[in-house]
Amino acid sequence: MEYILIFISAIFVNNIVLSQFLGICPFLGVSKKIDTSLGMSAAVAFVLTLATIVTYLVQKFVLDAFGLQYLQTIAFILVIAALVQMVEIILKKVSPALYQALGIFLPLITTNCAVLGVAILVIQKDYSLIESIVYALSTAIGFGIALTVFAGMREQLEMVNIPKGMRGVAIVLVSAGLLSLAFMGFSGVDGGLKQLFGLE
């Protein structure tokens, strides 16, 4: 039941983009078309899960073991950057088609603060390895849902006659705010689930 709670909470209640405001750059930059947002979501899901596992192991078996917790942020950034480069090289050799599909998105993930944010949040929340993986996967799904819904909204906005002063960045930010408000409607769900499963 704990895993279900983590899953639902990370997707809807504490959505990484709309509630915690991490990963805003790709959210605003790659959300012009649904195809590109789906590609970015898949790449982020893969890297986010892999990075969370590796950074968790680095934290527990290197930083905590040698009392180097103060190096957490630097170590995690280096691990994530190295992982993205390794994934890029491996995909290029093993699956050129998948590399072509995700090629443009992989370098963008290195600078996506959602990946680093999740890696740090997992340690702060004191999750086990399995809980960390569930949290990373569900966060990636939440990121993908937010990105895809927002891309759909932006595609619809292309067909609407928007007042001149609201065109461009203005209407994009207003739309993002409205989507964030819509997700705030899920804010009581995790408390209700805790009561339902007797976890409080």
Side-chain angles (χ1 to χ4, degrees):
M1 293 307 159
E2 283 278 347
Y3 301 129
I4 294 168
L5 192 62
I6 290 169
F7 187 77
I8 292 169
S9 179
I11 293 174
F12 299 110
V13 182
N14 297 315
N15 188 286
I16 197 81
V17 182
L18 301 172
S19 295
Q20 301 182 48
F21 307 111
L22 293 172
I24 295 289
C25 289
F27 180 70
L28 295 174
V30 192
S31 60
K32 289 182 182 172
K33 297 202 177 299
I34 290 177
D35 295 343
T36 54
S37 67
L38 287 171
M40 184 65 172
S41 301
V44 165
F46 181 69
V47 172
L48 189 66
T49 309
L50 196 62
T52 302
I53 294 167
V54 175
T55 53
Y56 180 89
L57 296 173
V58 166
Q59 178 73 37
K60 295 296 174 190
F61 297 109
V62 178
L63 300 180
D64 287 350
F66 296 103
L68 300 169
Q69 291 90 341
Y70 58 92
L71 292 174
Q72 184 189 64
T73 306
I74 295 167
F76 284 13
I77 289 169
L78 290 172
V79 166
I80 290 164
L83 269 174
V84 171
Q85 289 302 313
M86 278 174 34
V87 166
E88 203 170 346
I89 291 164
I90 291 165
L91 278 180
K92 203 172 186 178
K93 297 277 184 195
V94 176
S95 177
L98 187 61
Y99 175 75
Q100 287 296 323
L102 299 178
I104 192 168
F105 303 117
L106 283 170
L108 289 173
I109 295 167
T110 311
T111 57
N112 187 348
C113 59
V115 180
L116 178 63
V118 169
I120 291 171
L121 282 170
V122 157
I123 304 302
Q124 286 178 350
K125 291 174 185 274
D126 201 27
Y127 283 153
S128 67
L129 183 59
I130 305 297
E131 287 173 335
S132 301
I133 294 166
V134 170
Y135 182 73
L137 271 171
S138 48
T139 300
I141 292 167
F143 178 84
I145 288 170
L147 196 62
T148 309
V149 169
F150 193 55
M153 286 172 70
R154 287 183 75 174
E155 282 188 2
Q156 289 295 315
L157 286 171
E158 295 289 321
M159 296 181 268
V160 178
N161 187 18
I162 299 162
K164 195 174 180 182
M166 286 295 291
R167 286 180 194 159
V169 178
I171 194 67
V172 169
L173 292 175
V174 168
S175 302
L178 290 172
L179 186 60
S180 182
L181 280 171
F183 268 72
M184 280 179 69
F186 294 109
S187 59
V189 172
D190 61 340
L193 285 171
K194 281 179 182 174
Q195 285 181 340
L196 183 67
F197 296 124
L199 295 172
E200 275 191 329

